[in-house]
């Protein structure tokens, strides 16, 4: 961890050489997210609820996904840009260094501008908590925190799978954006509103619903099933197949030349 914090400090110092650029980027990303949230308000201005979910419920859901995705993008951004690392044969240098390759990819790219999403998500959450009717017991607070942590792990796992695909194609497959950026966008609404088939897919294949929908039902008091408190822990297990796929790709890796 000490070495990672050194990389962290280096990236931050480098970014602070261009403070104005950093501020403009963060501000721009903040207003992009704000625009997405305004759409939610427009929707609920016409409809009081969607399948029993009020605007406050949806905002609590959206805040969870926005915060989780922002943290994943900030610290796992190296995997999202991995195609260029493979194409330019930079992975050759990574493999001969005396550190784990995942650690080196993670520490090689830290996207601090994604803090805008974190600020947006926290702002949305504070607003929703203040105007909503949820009674925030210890169990519900714990569940919501685990929803965010689990979301970070799931999104990071998807970035890892995306990077693993590059060992076989030299390019990431764009369909993965459906589960990363797309997961962030349509994950701002409870998955149940998209239909049973979509809910099942994002429960048993890509576990977005395990950290978003089911624990949300418990947090909002729409379900008394205590098992929903622990579905975020099940979602975290998604890192295992993602890691196994990455290691399989590393074993199959062949240099692209220098």
């Amino acid at each position: 961890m000490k070495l990672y914090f050194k990389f962290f400090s280096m990236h931050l110092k480098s970014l602070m050489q261009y403070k104005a650029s950093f501020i403009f980027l963060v501000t721009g990303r903040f207003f992009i997210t704000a625009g997405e949230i305004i759409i939610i308000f427009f929707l609920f201005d016409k409809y009081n609820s969607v399948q029993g979910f009020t605007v406050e419920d949806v905002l609590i859901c959206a805040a969870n996904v926005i915060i989780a995705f922002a943290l994943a993008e900030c610290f796992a951004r190296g995997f999202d840009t991995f195609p260029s690392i493979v194409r330019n044969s930079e992975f050759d240098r990574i493999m001969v260094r005396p550190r784990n390759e995942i650690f080196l990819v993670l520490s090689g790219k830290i996207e601090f501008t994604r803090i805008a999403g974190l600020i947006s998500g926290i702002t949305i959450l504070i607003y929703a908590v203040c105007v909503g009717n949820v009674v925030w017991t210890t169990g519900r607070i714990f569940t919501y925190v685990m929803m965010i942590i689990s979301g970070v792990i799931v999104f990071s796992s998807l970035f890892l799978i995306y990077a693993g695909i590059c060992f076989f194609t030299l390019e990431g497959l764009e369909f993965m954006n459906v589960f990363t950026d797309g997961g962030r966008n349509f994950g701002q609404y409870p998955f149940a509103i998209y239909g049973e088939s979509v809910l099942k897919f994002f429960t048993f294949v890509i576990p977005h619903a395990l950290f978003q929908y089911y624990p949300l039902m418990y947090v909002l008091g729409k379900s008394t099933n205590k098992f929903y408190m622990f579905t975020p822990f099940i979602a975290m297990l998604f890192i295992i197949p993602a890691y196994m796929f990455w290691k399989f790709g590393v074993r199959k890796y062949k240099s692209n030349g220098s």
Side-chain angles (χ1 to χ4, degrees):
M1 289 300 294
K2 184 177 180 180
L3 180 59
Y4 182 81
F5 283 121
K6 285 186 178 180
F7 278 109
F8 184 94
S9 177
M10 289 168 55
H11 285 296
L12 185 59
K13 288 179 180 178
S14 175
L15 187 64
M16 287 299 101
Q17 297 301 310
Y18 306 93
K19 296 182 179 66
S21 176
F22 172 72
I23 292 172
F24 283 130
L25 283 171
V26 170
T27 303
R29 294 185 185 281
F30 178 84
F31 282 112
I32 289 173
T33 304
E36 296 173 353
I37 299 304
I38 289 174
I39 292 174
I40 295 177
F41 280 104
F42 282 145
L43 173 65
F44 281 90
D45 184 54
K46 186 173 183 179
Y47 304 101
N48 291 328
S49 65
V50 177
Q51 290 194 2
F53 295 99
T54 65
V55 62
E56 292 82 10
D57 297 339
V58 172
L59 290 177
I60 290 174
C61 176
N64 164 52
V65 175
I66 291 171
I67 292 172
F69 188 76
L71 290 172
E73 271 206 311
C74 180
F75 296 105
R77 188 67 176 174
F79 292 119
D80 195 31
T81 59
F82 194 71
S84 62
I85 294 177
V86 175
R87 269 198 318 272
N88 299 330
S89 297
E90 294 178 21
F91 195 66
D92 294 5
R93 293 188 288 109
I94 289 176
M95 291 191 71
V96 298
R97 289 174 177 170
R99 291 286 178 178
N100 180 273
E101 66 275 0
I102 290 181
F103 170 81
L104 292 172
V105 174
L106 285 175
S107 58
K109 182 75 172 180
I110 301 176
E111 191 62 75
F112 289 103
T113 58
R114 305 298 173 174
I115 194 176
L118 179 62
I119 295 172
S120 301
I122 292 174
T123 303
I124 295 164
L125 179 60
I126 292 173
Y127 172 81
V129 169
C130 292
V131 301
N133 297 317
V134 177
V135 179
W136 289 92
T137 63
T138 302
R140 287 173 176 170
I141 293 173
F142 170 78
T143 301
Y144 197 81
V145 171
M146 295 313 302
M147 287 169 64
I148 294 174
I149 295 174
S150 179
V152 174
I153 293 174
V154 170
F155 281 122
S156 298
S157 299
L158 288 168
F159 286 137
L160 185 60
I161 292 173
Y162 174 81
I165 292 173
C166 300
F167 290 122
F168 306 97
T169 65
L170 295 183
E171 291 283 353
L173 298 181
E174 290 301 318
F175 81 87
M176 287 297 298
N177 291 332
V178 174
F179 308 125
T180 53
D181 296 83
R184 172 192 177 278
N185 292 330
F186 59 76
Q188 293 177 17
Y189 298 87
F191 280 112
I193 72 171
Y194 300 113
E196 186 177 350
S197 297
V198 173
L199 179 60
K200 286 182 177 179
F201 178 83
F202 285 105
T203 299
F204 300 107
V205 182
I206 307 294
H208 284 318
L210 293 180
F211 75 83
Q212 187 249 46
Y213 175 70
Y214 298 107
L216 179 70
M217 296 294 286
Y218 174 78
V219 169
L220 298 179
K222 297 183 180 296
S223 174
T224 57
N225 190 341
K226 293 294 182 69
F227 175 73
Y228 286 173
M229 292 179 62
F230 303 101
T231 57
F233 293 97
I234 300 175
M236 291 180 189
L237 298 177
F238 188 59
I239 189 66
I240 297 175
Y243 177 75
M244 292 174 64
F245 180 71
W246 163 268
K247 295 301 290 184
F248 176 71
V250 171
R251 289 195 297 270
K252 298 295 182 180
Y253 172 71
K254 294 181 181 179
S255 176
N256 194 36
S258 60

